[in-house]
Protein backbone atom coordinates (compact mmCIF):
# COMPACT_ATOMS: atom_id res chain seq x y z
CA UNK A 1 0.00 0.00 0.00
CA UNK A 2 1.32 3.41 -0.99
CA UNK A 3 1.10 5.77 1.98
CA UNK A 4 -0.24 9.18 0.94
CA UNK A 5 -0.32 12.69 2.35
CA UNK A 6 -2.99 15.00 0.96
CA UNK A 7 -1.82 18.61 1.04
CA UNK A 8 -4.81 20.89 0.72
CA UNK A 9 -8.13 19.84 2.24
CA UNK A 10 -10.46 22.11 0.27
CA UNK A 11 -11.81 21.50 -3.28
CA UNK A 12 -11.59 17.88 -4.48
CA UNK A 13 -10.25 16.70 -1.10
CA UNK A 14 -13.32 14.66 -0.15
CA UNK A 15 -13.32 12.92 -3.55
CA UNK A 16 -9.60 12.13 -3.25
CA UNK A 17 -10.03 10.79 0.29
CA UNK A 18 -12.96 8.62 -0.81
CA UNK A 19 -10.92 7.28 -3.74
CA UNK A 20 -8.05 6.39 -1.41
CA UNK A 21 -10.43 4.66 0.98
CA UNK A 22 -11.85 2.57 -1.89
CA UNK A 23 -8.44 1.67 -3.31
CA UNK A 24 -6.53 -1.54 -2.66
CA UNK A 25 -3.30 0.12 -3.76
CA UNK A 26 -2.94 3.17 -1.52
CA UNK A 27 -4.13 4.69 1.73
CA UNK A 28 -4.44 8.22 3.05
CA UNK A 29 -2.27 8.63 6.14
CA UNK A 30 -2.12 12.42 6.54
CA UNK A 31 -4.52 15.29 5.75
CA UNK A 32 -2.57 18.56 5.74
CA UNK A 33 -3.79 22.13 5.46
CA UNK A 34 -2.92 25.56 6.83
CA UNK A 35 -6.52 25.69 8.13
CA UNK A 36 -6.75 23.58 11.31
CA UNK A 37 -10.47 22.89 10.87
CA UNK A 38 -10.12 21.78 7.24
CA UNK A 39 -7.29 19.41 8.17
CA UNK A 40 -9.04 17.96 11.21
CA UNK A 41 -12.42 17.54 9.49
CA UNK A 42 -10.96 15.63 6.56
CA UNK A 43 -8.64 13.59 8.77
CA UNK A 44 -11.56 12.57 10.96
CA UNK A 45 -13.68 11.55 7.97
CA UNK A 46 -10.81 9.64 6.34
CA UNK A 47 -9.40 8.05 9.49
CA UNK A 48 -6.10 9.83 8.87
CA UNK A 49 -3.80 12.04 10.89
CA UNK A 50 -4.29 15.80 10.65
CA UNK A 51 -1.34 18.08 10.07
CA UNK A 52 -1.49 21.87 10.20
CA UNK A 53 1.25 23.65 8.32
CA UNK A 54 3.42 23.29 5.24
CA UNK A 55 4.83 20.20 3.58
CA UNK A 56 8.35 20.69 4.93
CA UNK A 57 7.16 20.61 8.54
CA UNK A 58 5.00 17.56 7.78
CA UNK A 59 7.91 15.57 6.39
CA UNK A 60 10.18 16.67 9.23
CA UNK A 61 7.65 15.57 11.84
CA UNK A 62 6.91 12.14 10.39
CA UNK A 63 9.01 11.53 7.29
CA UNK A 64 8.73 7.74 7.35
CA UNK A 65 4.95 7.62 7.15
CA UNK A 66 4.56 9.31 3.75
CA UNK A 67 5.73 7.83 0.44
CA UNK A 68 3.81 10.13 -1.88
CA UNK A 69 2.16 13.53 -1.80
CA UNK A 70 -1.05 14.73 -3.45
CA UNK A 71 -0.96 18.48 -4.12
CA UNK A 72 -4.51 19.84 -3.91
CA UNK A 73 -3.86 23.51 -3.11
CA UNK A 74 -4.58 26.72 -5.10
CA UNK A 75 -2.92 26.77 -8.51
CA UNK A 76 -0.24 29.34 -7.68
CA UNK A 77 1.28 27.01 -5.05
CA UNK A 78 1.33 23.79 -7.09
CA UNK A 79 4.87 24.03 -8.43
CA UNK A 80 6.44 25.11 -5.12
CA UNK A 81 4.82 22.30 -3.15
CA UNK A 82 5.65 19.76 -5.85
CA UNK A 83 9.29 20.87 -5.84
CA UNK A 84 9.42 20.58 -2.04
CA UNK A 85 8.03 17.05 -2.22
CA UNK A 86 10.48 16.09 -4.95
CA UNK A 87 13.38 17.52 -2.94
CA UNK A 88 12.26 15.29 -0.07
CA UNK A 89 12.33 12.28 -2.42
CA UNK A 90 8.55 11.82 -2.45
CA UNK A 91 6.43 10.85 -5.44
CA UNK A 92 3.90 13.53 -6.41
CA UNK A 93 0.40 13.70 -7.86
CA UNK A 94 -0.39 17.34 -8.63
CA UNK A 95 -3.81 18.77 -9.34
CA UNK A 96 -3.76 20.48 -12.73
CA UNK A 97 -2.20 22.77 -13.76
CA UNK A 98 1.27 21.61 -12.78
CA UNK A 99 2.28 25.30 -12.67
CA UNK A 100 1.00 28.65 -13.86
CA UNK A 101 3.39 28.61 -16.83
CA UNK A 102 4.81 25.94 -19.09
CA UNK A 103 8.38 26.96 -18.20
CA UNK A 104 7.72 26.58 -14.47
CA UNK A 105 6.02 23.23 -15.09
CA UNK A 106 9.00 22.07 -17.14
CA UNK A 107 11.31 22.84 -14.22
CA UNK A 108 9.20 20.62 -11.95
CA UNK A 109 9.39 17.88 -14.57
CA UNK A 110 13.17 18.19 -14.80
CA UNK A 111 13.60 18.05 -11.04
CA UNK A 112 11.42 14.94 -10.79
CA UNK A 113 13.45 13.27 -13.53
CA UNK A 114 16.71 14.09 -11.74
CA UNK A 115 15.39 12.79 -8.42
CA UNK A 116 14.00 9.62 -9.97
CA UNK A 117 10.56 10.10 -8.44
CA UNK A 118 7.18 9.60 -10.13
CA UNK A 119 5.42 12.82 -11.15
CA UNK A 120 1.79 12.64 -12.28
CA UNK A 121 -0.64 15.45 -13.08
CA UNK A 122 -4.38 15.15 -12.46
CA UNK A 123 -5.87 15.49 -15.94
CA UNK A 124 -8.97 13.63 -14.86
CA UNK A 125 -10.79 13.66 -18.22
CA UNK A 126 -8.45 10.84 -19.27
CA UNK A 127 -9.88 8.65 -16.50
CA UNK A 128 -13.60 9.28 -16.92
CA UNK A 129 -15.13 5.89 -17.84
CA UNK A 130 -16.88 7.10 -21.00
CA UNK A 131 -13.72 8.83 -22.26
CA UNK A 132 -11.66 5.72 -21.52
CA UNK A 133 -13.96 3.73 -23.79
CA UNK A 134 -13.52 6.27 -26.61
CA UNK A 135 -9.73 6.05 -26.23
CA UNK A 136 -9.84 2.24 -26.23
CA UNK A 137 -11.92 2.23 -29.41
CA UNK A 138 -9.37 4.51 -31.07
CA UNK A 139 -6.42 2.41 -29.90
CA UNK A 140 -8.12 -0.75 -31.19
CA UNK A 141 -8.57 0.83 -34.63
CA UNK A 142 -12.35 0.69 -34.42
CA UNK A 143 -12.76 4.39 -35.27
CA UNK A 144 -9.96 4.59 -37.79
CA UNK A 145 -7.85 7.72 -38.06
CA UNK A 146 -9.07 10.68 -35.91
CA UNK A 147 -10.55 13.44 -38.02
CA UNK A 148 -12.64 15.79 -35.89
CA UNK A 149 -12.82 16.12 -32.12
CA UNK A 150 -15.43 18.38 -30.51
CA UNK A 151 -15.49 18.81 -26.76
CA UNK A 152 -17.35 21.27 -24.60
CA UNK A 153 -17.75 21.91 -20.92
CA UNK A 154 -20.33 24.16 -19.28
CA UNK A 155 -19.43 25.29 -15.77
CA UNK A 156 -21.60 26.54 -12.95
CA UNK A 157 -22.00 30.23 -12.32
CA UNK A 158 -21.95 31.00 -8.62
CA UNK A 159 -24.20 33.72 -7.20
CA UNK A 160 -22.83 36.93 -5.73
CA UNK A 161 -19.64 38.84 -6.58
CA UNK A 162 -16.60 36.84 -7.70
CA UNK A 163 -14.14 36.04 -4.93
CA UNK A 164 -11.43 33.62 -4.00
CA UNK A 165 -8.33 32.47 -5.81
CA UNK A 166 -10.19 30.84 -8.73
CA UNK A 167 -11.49 34.27 -9.81
CA UNK A 168 -8.02 35.84 -9.66
CA UNK A 169 -6.05 35.12 -12.87
CA UNK A 170 -2.79 35.87 -11.07
CA UNK A 171 -3.49 32.88 -8.80
CA UNK A 172 -5.52 30.57 -11.05
CA UNK A 173 -3.80 31.24 -14.37
CA UNK A 174 -7.08 32.36 -15.90
CA UNK A 175 -9.61 30.33 -17.83
CA UNK A 176 -7.10 28.93 -20.33
CA UNK A 177 -4.73 27.53 -17.70
CA UNK A 178 -7.26 26.67 -15.00
CA UNK A 179 -9.97 25.07 -17.15
CA UNK A 180 -9.20 24.76 -20.87
CA UNK A 181 -5.97 22.89 -20.16
CA UNK A 182 -8.22 19.88 -19.42
CA UNK A 183 -9.71 19.89 -22.93
CA UNK A 184 -6.33 20.57 -24.52
CA UNK A 185 -4.73 17.61 -22.76
CA UNK A 186 -7.66 15.42 -23.77
CA UNK A 187 -7.20 16.41 -27.43
CA UNK A 188 -3.49 15.53 -27.29
CA UNK A 189 -4.33 12.19 -25.65
CA UNK A 190 -6.94 11.23 -28.25
CA UNK A 191 -5.30 12.56 -31.40
CA UNK A 192 -1.73 11.70 -30.33
CA UNK A 193 -0.15 14.63 -32.14
CA UNK A 194 1.13 18.07 -31.31
CA UNK A 195 -1.00 20.69 -33.09
CA UNK A 196 0.72 22.68 -35.81
CA UNK A 197 -1.54 25.67 -35.29
CA UNK A 198 -3.68 27.06 -32.49
CA UNK A 199 -6.41 29.68 -32.82
CA UNK A 200 -8.66 30.88 -29.99
CA UNK A 201 -11.43 33.38 -29.37
CA UNK A 202 -12.81 34.40 -26.00
CA UNK A 203 -15.66 36.32 -24.42
CA UNK A 204 -16.02 36.97 -20.68
CA UNK A 205 -17.82 33.67 -20.07
CA UNK A 206 -16.86 31.61 -23.13
CA UNK A 207 -13.74 30.50 -24.95
CA UNK A 208 -13.25 28.41 -28.07
CA UNK A 209 -9.93 26.85 -29.06
CA UNK A 210 -9.23 25.38 -32.50
CA UNK A 211 -6.30 22.98 -32.84
CA UNK A 212 -5.06 21.92 -36.26
CA UNK A 213 -2.79 18.90 -36.73
CA UNK A 214 -0.36 17.92 -39.47
CA UNK A 215 -2.36 14.75 -40.19
CA UNK A 216 -5.37 16.86 -41.12
CA UNK A 217 -7.22 16.19 -37.86
CA UNK A 218 -8.70 19.08 -35.95
CA UNK A 219 -10.08 19.67 -32.47
CA UNK A 220 -12.54 22.31 -31.30
CA UNK A 221 -12.50 22.73 -27.54
CA UNK A 222 -14.96 24.96 -25.73
CA UNK A 223 -15.34 26.06 -22.12
CA UNK A 224 -18.27 28.16 -20.93
CA UNK A 225 -18.69 29.59 -17.44
CA UNK A 226 -22.11 31.15 -17.84
CA UNK A 227 -24.26 28.19 -16.81
CA UNK A 228 -26.88 29.25 -14.24
CA UNK A 229 -26.45 27.89 -10.74
CA UNK A 230 -26.74 24.13 -10.90
CA UNK A 231 -24.84 21.18 -12.27
CA UNK A 232 -22.18 21.47 -14.92
CA UNK A 233 -22.21 19.55 -18.18
CA UNK A 234 -19.57 17.96 -20.39
CA UNK A 235 -19.66 16.38 -23.85
CA UNK A 236 -17.24 14.89 -26.37
CA UNK A 237 -17.73 13.79 -29.99
CA UNK A 238 -15.01 12.19 -32.08
CA UNK A 239 -15.32 11.42 -35.78
CA UNK A 240 -12.79 9.04 -37.29
CA UNK A 241 -12.24 7.60 -40.76
CA UNK A 242 -14.07 4.37 -39.83
CA UNK A 243 -16.54 5.43 -37.15
CA UNK A 244 -17.57 7.94 -34.54
CA UNK A 245 -17.95 8.07 -30.76
CA UNK A 246 -19.86 10.29 -28.37
CA UNK A 247 -19.62 10.69 -24.62
CA UNK A 248 -21.13 13.03 -22.06
CA UNK A 249 -21.71 13.06 -18.34
CA UNK A 250 -25.48 13.81 -18.15
CA UNK A 251 -24.82 12.66 -14.57
CA UNK A 252 -24.41 9.29 -16.28
CA UNK A 253 -28.11 8.57 -15.98
CA UNK A 254 -28.97 5.01 -16.95
CA UNK A 255 -32.49 3.82 -17.76
CA UNK A 256 -32.88 0.30 -16.40
CA UNK A 257 -35.63 -2.21 -17.27
CA UNK A 258 -36.04 -5.19 -14.93
CA UNK A 259 -39.45 -6.43 -16.08
CA UNK A 260 -41.35 -3.84 -14.07
CA UNK A 261 -41.59 -0.10 -14.27
CA UNK A 262 -38.39 1.45 -15.73
CA UNK A 263 -36.04 2.96 -13.16
CA UNK A 264 -33.36 5.61 -13.44
CA UNK A 265 -29.99 4.81 -11.94
CA UNK A 266 -27.52 7.67 -11.47
CA UNK A 267 -23.85 6.75 -11.27
CA UNK A 268 -20.93 9.03 -10.46
CA UNK A 269 -18.51 9.10 -13.38
CA UNK A 270 -16.27 11.59 -11.64
CA UNK A 271 -15.81 9.39 -8.58
CA UNK A 272 -14.85 6.48 -10.81
CA UNK A 273 -12.39 8.69 -12.66
CA UNK A 274 -10.72 9.95 -9.49
CA UNK A 275 -10.38 6.38 -8.20
CA UNK A 276 -8.85 5.19 -11.50
CA UNK A 277 -6.47 8.13 -11.53
CA UNK A 278 -5.29 7.46 -7.98
CA UNK A 279 -4.82 3.76 -8.73
CA UNK A 280 -2.72 4.61 -11.80
CA UNK A 281 -0.51 6.82 -9.64
CA UNK A 282 -0.03 4.04 -7.11
CA UNK A 283 0.70 1.45 -9.81
CA UNK A 284 3.29 3.70 -11.43
CA UNK A 285 5.08 4.02 -8.09
CA UNK A 286 4.91 0.29 -7.35
CA UNK A 287 6.04 -0.69 -10.86
CA UNK A 288 8.73 1.99 -11.09
CA UNK A 289 7.42 3.42 -14.35
CA UNK A 290 6.23 6.72 -15.74
CA UNK A 291 2.54 7.46 -14.99
CA UNK A 292 0.14 7.58 -17.92
CA UNK A 293 -0.15 11.36 -17.43
CA UNK A 294 3.42 12.57 -17.08
CA UNK A 295 5.04 15.89 -16.35
CA UNK A 296 5.87 16.16 -20.05
CA UNK A 297 2.17 15.78 -20.89
CA UNK A 298 1.31 18.60 -18.49
CA UNK A 299 3.98 20.86 -19.98
CA UNK A 300 2.70 20.18 -23.52
CA UNK A 301 -0.86 21.12 -22.55
CA UNK A 302 0.32 24.32 -20.88
CA UNK A 303 2.37 25.32 -23.94
CA UNK A 304 -0.77 25.09 -26.05
CA UNK A 305 -2.89 26.89 -23.44
CA UNK A 306 -0.39 29.75 -23.54
CA UNK A 307 -0.48 29.78 -27.33
CA UNK A 308 -4.30 29.87 -27.23
CA UNK A 309 -4.30 32.79 -24.79
CA UNK A 310 -1.85 34.69 -27.00
CA UNK A 311 -3.97 33.95 -30.06
CA UNK A 312 -7.12 35.21 -28.39
CA UNK A 313 -5.43 38.39 -27.20
CA UNK A 314 -3.91 39.18 -30.60
CA UNK A 315 -6.54 37.84 -32.99
CA UNK A 316 -3.77 35.90 -34.76
CA UNK A 317 -3.09 32.19 -35.14
CA UNK A 318 -0.20 30.57 -33.29
CA UNK A 319 1.93 28.39 -35.58
CA UNK A 320 4.31 25.68 -34.40
CA UNK A 321 7.98 26.32 -35.20
CA UNK A 322 11.22 24.70 -34.06
CA UNK A 323 11.35 27.13 -31.14
CA UNK A 324 7.69 26.91 -30.12
CA UNK A 325 4.44 28.63 -31.11
CA UNK A 326 4.73 31.92 -33.00
CA UNK A 327 1.87 34.28 -33.82
CA UNK A 328 1.31 35.11 -37.46
Amino acid sequence: MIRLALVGCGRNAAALAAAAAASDLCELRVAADIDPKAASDLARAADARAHVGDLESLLESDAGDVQAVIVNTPNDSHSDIALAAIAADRHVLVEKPLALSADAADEVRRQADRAGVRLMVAHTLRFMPANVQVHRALAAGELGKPGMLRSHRWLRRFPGPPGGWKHNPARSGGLYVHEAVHEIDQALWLISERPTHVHAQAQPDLLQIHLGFESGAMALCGVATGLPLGSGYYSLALIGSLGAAYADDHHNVQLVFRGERPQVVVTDQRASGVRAQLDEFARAITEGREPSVSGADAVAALRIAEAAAASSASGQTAHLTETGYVLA
Side-chain angles (χ1 to χ4, degrees):
M1 296 285 279
I2 301 300
R3 301 185 298 276
L4 302 171
L6 175 59
V7 179
C9 297
R11 59 167 183 164
N12 302 332
L16 287 163
S23 176
D24 296 325
L25 304 175
C26 57
E27 59 181 336
L28 183 61
R29 289 289 187 89
V30 182
D33 202 285
I34 58 173
D35 180 351
K37 186 175 187 304
S40 62
D41 285 352
L42 187 68
R44 188 180 307 110
D47 194 24
R49 178 172 66 85
H51 174 83
V52 180
D54 57 19
L55 178 63
E56 290 88 343
S57 63
L58 164 62
L59 296 177
E60 288 172 3
S61 66
D62 199 352
D65 199 39
V66 173
Q67 295 170 280
V69 172
I70 302 174
V71 181
N72 185 52
T73 55
N75 293 356
D76 56 339
S77 63
H78 286 183
S79 59
D80 287 343
I81 296 175
L83 287 170
I86 292 166
D89 200 30
R90 297 307 192 277
H91 307 290
V92 195
L93 171 60
V94 187
E95 177 58 57
K96 62 79 196 164
L98 178 53
L100 292 185
S101 72
D103 286 345
D106 203 31
E107 177 60 22
V108 178
R109 179 198 61 78
R110 286 194 295 267
Q111 293 298 332
D113 286 348
R114 291 191 188 112
V117 301
R118 306 279 78 79
L119 169 64
M120 182 172 173
V121 182
H123 283 290
T124 52
L125 289 182
R126 295 196 188 199
F127 296 93
M128 301 290 276
N131 296 352
V132 169
Q133 291 302 318
V134 174
H135 187 263
R136 285 175 179 167
L138 264 178
E142 296 172 5
L143 305 181
K145 181 180 176 182
M148 173 66 185
L149 171 67
R150 176 73 170 95
S151 66
H152 197 86
R153 196 153 44 100
W154 289 263
L155 305 175
R156 292 186 296 255
R157 176 186 290 163
F158 294 95
W165 67 265
K166 290 183 182 180
H167 300 277
N168 180 355
R171 299 196 66 195
S172 70
L175 197 58
Y176 285 97
V177 167
H178 181 59
E179 294 293 354
V181 74
H182 266 316
E183 276 68 31
I184 292 169
D185 174 75
Q186 178 177 249
L188 298 181
W189 175 55
L190 291 171
I191 297 180
S192 299
E193 288 183 61
R194 191 178 182 187
T196 54
H197 68 268
V198 179
H199 190 86
Q201 294 183 328
Q203 297 177 4
D205 61 354
L206 173 68
L207 63 84
Q208 298 275 7
I209 302 171
H210 177 272
L211 307 177
F213 299 86
E214 187 174 6
S215 65
M218 65 175 66
L220 184 61
C221 309
V223 177
T225 60
L227 191 71
L229 184 63
S231 298
Y233 176 75
Y234 162 83
S235 68
L236 173 152
L238 177 66
I239 300 173
S241 58
L242 298 178
Y246 175 81
D248 63 39
D249 53 9
H250 274 302
H251 305 291
N252 208 19
V253 176
Q254 311 295 326
L255 188 61
V256 178
F257 295 88
R258 294 192 177 99
E260 300 177 354
R261 185 171 181 174
Q263 294 180 325
V264 170
V265 177
V266 180
T267 57
D268 190 345
Q269 244 202 129
R270 183 174 181 275
S272 298
V274 173
R275 163 76 183 277
Q277 175 180 267
L278 198 56
D279 281 350
E280 166 60 15
F281 179 51
R283 287 193 185 95
I285 295 171
T286 302
E287 297 168 7
R289 61 169 172 81
E290 191 83 348
S292 62
V293 190
S294 67
D297 293 326
V299 173
L302 281 167
R303 295 266 183 227
I304 296 166
E306 290 174 346
S311 170
S312 176
S314 66
Q316 297 177 295
T317 298
H319 297 266
L320 182 62
T321 69
E322 291 183 357
T323 58
Y325 287 97
V326 176
L327 294 172

